[in-house]
Amino acid sequence: CGIIVNLFMNLRALQLATAARLLDVTLLGTRPLHSARRFTKMSADDPGTQTAKKWIDAWNARDIEVILSLYDPDVRFVSPRVAAAWEKTSGRVGSADGVLQGVQLLRPYFQQGIDSIPDLRLNLIKVLHGADNTHAIIYTRESGSTVAEITRLGPDHRIVEVQVFYDVVA
């Protein structure tokens, strides 16, 4: 009789554990509540971090060729400063809608920034990693303004999409 009770209790415990796992998965959609969460800290060697550091260094060196080499030829670049540059230069640089498509349109926009800000200095704060090769490059500028550039890298680790966010647009 003791063996049967023991077997029944083990079976019941297994059923409850299985039901709990299924319930957690069903309610949360991904993993059970009791599972250990696994986080992966990105290394300094990952492509997003490497690209961000090269990008910051190139801007601080004011090296337009290295800056542009980090972008895919068909990059889509969206920034409120693109529209501000359009207004400031009477339409010679940037675009009215804040969107630049292609590296050939980035050159005059970036060059105008380099030429008009003699004390330009970027300080990398952090690189955050997302899905689908996306990254948030968080940095401060010489003005003290904080900027977040959300980038997506292509298969060759060049930037194919950018969305820029500023705490102050000047």
Side-chain angles (χ1 to χ4, degrees), residues 51 68-75 103 133 152-161:
T51 298
L68 292 173
S69 74
L70 298 172
Y71 291 89
D72 183 83
D74 296 320
V75 63
V103 76
N133 253 344
R152 188 170 64 81
L153 301 181
D156 61 356
H157 305 300
R158 291 197 295 176
I159 302 166
V160 296
E161 289 181 65

Side-chain angles (χ1 to χ4, degrees), residues 61-128:
R62 308 168 81 76
D63 190 335
I64 189 79
E65 298 308 322
V66 173
I67 295 167
L68 292 173
S69 74
L70 298 172
Y71 291 89
D72 183 83
D74 296 320
V75 63
R76 177 177 161 77
F77 186 92
V78 182
S79 169
R81 289 192 62 121
V82 169
W86 177 264
E87 289 180 23
K88 185 177 180 179
T89 64
S90 301
R92 290 188 317 274
V93 174
S95 71
D97 65 357
V99 179
L100 297 175
Q101 185 74 45
V103 76
Q104 75 280 1
L105 295 178
L106 287 183
R107 180 182 292 278
Y109 172 68
F110 287 167
Q111 191 63 58
Q112 186 260 346
I114 288 171
D115 294 344
S116 66
I117 308 170
D119 60 339
L120 178 69
R121 182 89 189 144
L122 308 182
N123 294 302
L124 182 63
I125 295 173
K126 185 174 277 201
V127 179
L128 305 175

